């Protein structure tokens, strides 16, 4: 079996058996296709030719080409995954990448809106929704739910009407790795969702076969992540501050505001659907930095 075919088979395994997201599978396939090209140029004919020396050489050339540390870290992870799978499926005699390391990715603090900025955004979408325009009602429900439940954009667009539990104020979410979790939301989000479902969504689905999707586009079909990005980017365009301008900014903001308000770190981890507590701890650094900034601004002896 040639190396490119192995990459395709491994990518199919990640999607079907491991439940990796489409985005992750696409990234791994791209990285490993690059590895296969690199290996073939150096005379590799099969899996056992992907030895540790070749893998390290591949990463070194990528670093010399100026690839970011985060990209190098992802490439190393993809190679380790492939190597482990090759050994487990008896397609290679050893797990050559078990000791493969890459530079740790630099972690930048995410963009987070302060409470006043978030309040202004919520007031802005509420003012637009007061016109009863169906798209405005939908967008208000999107913003309220993203902020209330700290959802990923893929989780939001994957929601169905049946995932909302009005009586318990919870939403059932299918997260990364096809892991299901139940996340709470508040009264403002409930009101916005109810208004959209009762007044906005029927107009958007009037000329199409209505699916069970919660959020739909102008043609009545399930809303795409691209549309949600555009909606949030438009709202964030007028908000001061640098950094991300997509839906993840609202996820970061919700997590940070929860910790600012005294929420337990493990409870926030569960709400966000993080596999590792270390990922959630990023937001404690955001909260600490915000506290330092407030101290420097407000304390007379700072």
């Amino acid at each position: 079996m040639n190396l490119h075919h192995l990459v395709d088979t491994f990518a199919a395994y990640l999607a079907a058996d491991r439940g990796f997201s489409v985005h992750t599978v696409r990234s791994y396939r791209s990285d490993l296709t690059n590895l296969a090209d690199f290996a073939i140029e150096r005379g590799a004919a099969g899996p056992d030719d992907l030895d540790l020396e070749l893998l390290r050489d591949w990463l070194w050339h990528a670093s010399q080409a100026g690839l970011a540390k985060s990209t190098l870290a992802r490439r190393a992870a993809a190679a380790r995954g492939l190597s482990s799978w090759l050994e487990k499926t008896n397609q290679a005699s050893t797990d050559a990448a078990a000791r493969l390391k890459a530079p740790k990715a630099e972690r930048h603090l995410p963009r987070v809106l302060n409470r006043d900025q978030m309040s202004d955004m919520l007031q802005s979408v509420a003012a637009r929704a007061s016109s009863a325009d169906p798209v405005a009602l939908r967008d208000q429900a999107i913003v309220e739910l993203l902020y209330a439940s700290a959802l990923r954009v893929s989780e939001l667009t994957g929601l169905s009407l049946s995932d909302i539990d009005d009586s318990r104020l919870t939403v059932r979410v299918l997260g990364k790795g096809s892991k299901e979790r139940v996340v709470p939301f508040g009264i403002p989000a409930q009101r916005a969702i109810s208004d959209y479902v009762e007044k906005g969504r029927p107009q958007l689905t009037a000329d199409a076969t209505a699916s069970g999707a919660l959020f739909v586009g102008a043609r009545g079909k399930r809303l795409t992540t691209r549309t949600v990005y555009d909606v949030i980017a438009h709202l964030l365009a007028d908000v001061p501050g640098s950094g991300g301008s997509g839906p993840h900014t609202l996820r970061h903001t919700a997590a940070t505001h929860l910790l600012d308000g005294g929420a337990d770190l493990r409870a926030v981890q569960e709400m966000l659907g993080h596999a590792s507590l270390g990922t959630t701890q990023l937001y404690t650094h955001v909260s600490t930095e915000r506290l330092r900034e407030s101290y420097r601004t407000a304390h007379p002896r700072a």
Side-chain angles (χ1 to χ4, degrees):
M1 186 180 292
N2 67 47
L3 294 178
H4 284 107
H5 187 65
L6 282 173
V7 169
D8 291 340
T9 306
F10 178 61
Y13 158 76
L14 292 179
D17 295 6
R18 296 292 303 279
F20 280 32
S21 71
V22 173
H23 174 76
T24 301
V25 172
R26 186 186 302 120
S27 297
Y28 272 37
R29 185 194 292 273
S30 174
D31 291 336
L32 295 173
T33 297
N34 181 273
L35 170 59
D37 291 339
F38 181 89
I40 291 169
E41 286 177 3
R42 281 150 185 79
D48 279 321
D49 293 323
L50 298 177
D51 57 24
L52 184 58
E53 183 179 355
L54 184 144
L55 294 172
R56 285 173 171 168
D57 195 28
W58 173 58
L59 288 181
W60 183 83
H61 275 81
S63 69
Q64 293 301 109
L67 268 64
K69 288 183 178 180
S70 57
T71 303
L72 295 176
R74 191 192 66 218
R75 285 195 168 188
R80 285 194 297 269
L82 174 65
S83 181
S84 175
W85 173 75
L86 287 172
E87 184 194 31
K88 289 177 180 176
T89 55
N90 298 315
Q91 299 180 79
S93 56
T94 60
D95 182 358
R99 294 187 290 121
L100 182 66
K101 295 181 180 180
K104 288 188 176 180
E106 296 176 356
R107 300 193 75 179
H108 300 286
L109 295 182
R111 181 184 185 185
V112 171
L113 308 186
N114 62 41
R115 291 178 183 272
D116 287 341
Q117 289 172 329
M118 195 64 230
S119 178
D120 288 345
M121 179 182 291
L122 293 169
Q123 289 178 18
S124 173
V125 294
R128 285 182 53 220
S130 65
S131 67
D133 174 76
V135 171
L137 288 168
R138 182 201 66 195
D139 292 351
Q140 182 191 23
I142 285 173
V143 174
E144 286 280 7
L145 188 57
L146 282 174
Y147 178 56
S149 299
L151 302 184
R152 300 179 179 95
V153 63
S154 59
E155 295 170 347
L156 179 98
T157 56
L159 292 176
S160 297
L161 288 165
S162 58
D163 291 325
I164 300 293
D165 188 333
D166 264 338
S167 62
R168 296 184 179 181
L169 295 183
T170 59
V171 56
R172 185 175 66 249
V173 176
L174 190 65
K176 285 188 174 181
S178 298
K179 294 180 180 178
E180 188 177 287
R181 68 186 191 279
V182 175
V183 185
F185 56 84
I187 297 296
Q190 180 196 37
R191 290 172 179 163
I193 293 169
S194 294
D195 283 347
Y196 158 66
V197 170
E198 293 172 9
K199 305 172 187 175
R201 189 177 180 279
Q203 295 184 61
L204 295 175
T205 58
D207 297 325
T209 302
S211 67
L214 174 60
F215 293 111
V216 297
R219 296 182 180 180
K221 296 182 180 179
R222 184 178 293 273
L223 201 63
T224 64
T225 57
R226 180 70 262 171
T227 300
V228 180
Y229 267 95
D230 290 342
V231 168
I232 303 303
H234 178 75
L235 291 169
L236 288 171
D238 296 327
V239 180
S242 59
S245 60
H248 232 60
T249 296
L250 300 191
R251 177 172 162 88
H252 296 321
T253 298
T256 303
H257 289 181
L258 281 166
L259 291 171
D260 284 347
D264 177 74
L265 185 62
R266 289 198 176 276
V268 175
Q269 176 194 2
E270 183 177 346
M271 181 172 175
L272 295 175
H274 285 159
S276 167
L277 188 63
T279 307
T280 316
Q281 284 175 326
L282 172 66
Y283 298 109
T284 65
H285 299 312
V286 177
S287 293
T288 301
E289 184 57 35
R290 285 156 63 92
L291 176 59
R292 286 177 182 154
E293 184 61 33
S294 296
Y295 178 82
R296 287 192 291 264
T297 303
H299 199 286
R301 298 181 70 83

